[in-house]
Amino acid sequence: MAIERENWTLAVLHDPSAVSEAASDFVSTTVLSKPDAAITFPTGSTPLGMFDVLAARAGRGEIDFSGVEIFCLDEYVGVTAEDPNSLSRWLWNGLLSRIGIRPHQFHPLPVTADGDELEAAAAGYDQMIPRGGLDLAVLGLGPNGHIGYNEPGSSAESRTRVIALTPESRTQASAYWEGAIPIPELAMTMGVGTLLEAKQIVLLVTGFAKAEILRRTVEEPMSADVPASWLRLAGPRLTIVADEAAASRLSIVHSGFQGRVADRGGDTHDGRS
Ligand code: PGA
């Protein structure tokens, strides 16, 4: 599909804090319009500012998360939700415990199933996601183009499954990994196809270090080499929210658009360049 035929939205905002505010607006709007929304959030460092904004808004009573369902995007195989290295724990401590989520609203991935039952457990998790898809998928962009742990090679049709982590992703995890247990070689991740069913997808990208992978995500032909590029298949359901540093290598950025987050301190562009 030629890029000029695509109609997703790219919002280029001044800095990471503007990205966090804009991302939080998507969450607020979703929960206000659907109090029992099914949502997935990314882990990693990119969403930490959004977590703070959402915690503050919830603290002021501006968003009521008491009816939402939170589905886990990805997790290390064999790492329990209590383990400090687990992505569930990261999300729980960073966001969910701060916005009043109760345990029954949170659905960790079944990564502690027996080895020969892991794939069936992953498929069962995929089925638990409401028919018609998540209401909102907020995602981060991995340095190698992964979304969740859909590593390079992931197809657009892939479902929730077990996947081998690339050396690059294991190195990325080593930046915060604690304790003696080695970083697992396997993870479970929601699939690209699973995520593409979401009614709204918001990809957050900040910093110069992501500029080249964001360029490949949006300006090269969609391909399994950069799994995030498949998100463009979502068309108008996709908004990429980037700061100026992350967008600095994009040739499609041009002035003159419009869009919901255009008043957040930066120009907003659509994908129809
Ligand atoms: P980061 O991770 O936010 O720490 O860069 C992003 C990701 O791998 O999804």
Side-chain angles (χ1 to χ4, degrees):
M1 194 193 306
I3 200 156
E4 55 274 8
R5 304 277 305 272
E6 297 181 17
N7 58 352
W8 40 269
T9 298
L10 168 66
V12 181
L13 305 181
H14 181 57
D15 59 15
S17 94
V19 169
S20 298
E21 290 283 344
S24 300
D25 289 349
F26 278 97
V27 178
S28 298
T29 304
T30 299
V31 177
L32 283 172
S33 68
K34 192 172 182 204
D36 62 347
I39 303 176
T40 194
F41 288 106
T43 51
S45 55
T46 307
L48 295 177
M50 174 185 70
F51 292 174
D52 290 342
V53 174
L54 290 174
R57 291 185 188 182
R60 291 194 298 266
E62 293 168 12
I63 323 179
D64 175 6
F65 286 98
S66 63
V68 304
E69 301 284 328
I70 307 291
F71 288 86
C72 251
L73 180 60
D74 50 5
E75 185 59 280
Y76 302 105
V77 164
V79 175
T80 65
E82 290 71 41
D83 189 306
N85 292 311
S86 86
L87 299 177
S88 298
R89 173 67 34 193
W90 180 289
L91 188 61
W92 186 266
N93 289 346
L95 177 68
L96 305 183
S97 65
R98 302 167 70 196
I99 60 173
I101 297 292
R102 286 159 296 163
H104 73 267
Q105 294 173 263
F106 178 48
H107 307 292
L109 284 153
V111 290
T112 53
D114 287 344
D116 53 355
E117 288 165 17
L118 271 172
E119 284 295 358
Y125 188 89
D126 203 278
Q127 294 288 317
M128 271 170 50
I129 295 169
R131 273 177 103 78
L134 295 160
D135 293 292
L136 176 65
V138 187
L139 303 172
L141 177 64
N144 64 356
H146 70 214
I147 42 169
Y149 266 137
N150 288 287
E151 299 280 41
S154 297
S155 78
E157 295 78 32
S158 56
R159 308 300 304 188
T160 303
R161 69 200 186 288
V162 174
I163 190 160
L165 292 173
T166 59
E168 196 174 5
S169 290
R170 294 182 77 226
T171 302
Q172 190 189 359
S174 69
Y176 68 86
W177 200 266
E178 294 173 9
I181 305 168
I183 298 168
E185 292 182 3
L186 299 177
M188 191 179 285
T189 183
M190 273 190 203
V192 179
T194 313
L195 291 166
L196 278 173
E197 289 171 0
K199 297 185 181 77
Q200 196 150 48
I201 301 170
V202 179
L203 179 67
L204 308 179
V205 196
T206 56
F208 284 111
K210 298 279 175 72
E212 176 59 13
I213 195 64
L214 180 60
R215 187 197 65 73
R216 293 182 64 201
T217 297
V218 299
E219 295 192 351
E220 290 187 352
M222 287 180 248
S223 126
D225 293 343
V226 181
S229 67
W230 296 130
L231 295 177
R232 289 150 54 193
L233 292 168
R237 292 178 292 114
L238 170 65
T239 303
I240 300 173
V241 186
D243 68 357
E244 286 172 1
S248 57
R249 292 215 181 154
L250 301 184
S251 58
I252 62 168
V253 167
H254 59 96
S255 59
F257 179 78
Q258 74 219 265
R260 273 173 300 199
V261 288
D263 58 349
R264 283 278 169 197
D267 292 330
T268 310
H269 313 272
D270 70 7
R272 289 167 291 217
S273 59

